[in-house]
Amino acid sequence: MKISPLQLFIAFSQMALSGFGGVLPFAYRALVERRRWLSAEEFPKLLALSQVMPGPTICNLSVMFGYRSAGLTGAAAALGGMIALPIAIVLALGIGYQQFGDLPPVRRALAGMSAAVAGLIVATAVKMARAMPRRIALLTVMVFVAPAGILLAWRERW
């Protein structure tokens, strides 16, 4: 499927802005469910390849998908969409956090956001697991290892 570099830039900018700090769930929703540029079976394969490459997984995914869709220009547009606006926002938030980071409402807001991101990641993992072939190892991890990891992280934090 041929997708224009402008379409790629806009789509990946929207994903990056929607999923600030956790883009993967929004990438799945945008690429598989909304735009149907990838199937539910293709996304985990592209994601797996993105994870073994050096660098941020979602950036690797954007480059590979952009290249597949529109060549080098598409790769640059998708990556640019993924990082341009978040860089500007991070700089602005850094300045704001420096001024207001110690205020209790700011601390509570950040704690709430981290909980929401964790929920989105779990929901995406469940969606991806539904599209994958059923294997006992995956079910074992989902049922036993994931809750154990969450419990250990929770005990360490609190």
Side-chain angles (χ1 to χ4, degrees), residues 47-85:
L47 178 63
L49 186 57
S50 300
Q51 290 174 324
V52 299
M53 295 174 63
T57 301
I58 196 66
C59 290
N60 293 340
L61 188 141
S62 69
V63 169
M64 289 189 299
F65 182 77
Y67 183 80
R68 182 173 120 173
S69 303
L72 287 175
T73 308
L79 181 60
M82 186 55 65
I83 64 173
L85 294 175

Side-chain angles (χ1 to χ4, degrees), residues 102-110:
D102 291 331
L103 297 175
V106 173
R107 294 229 178 256
R108 286 192 298 272
L110 291 173

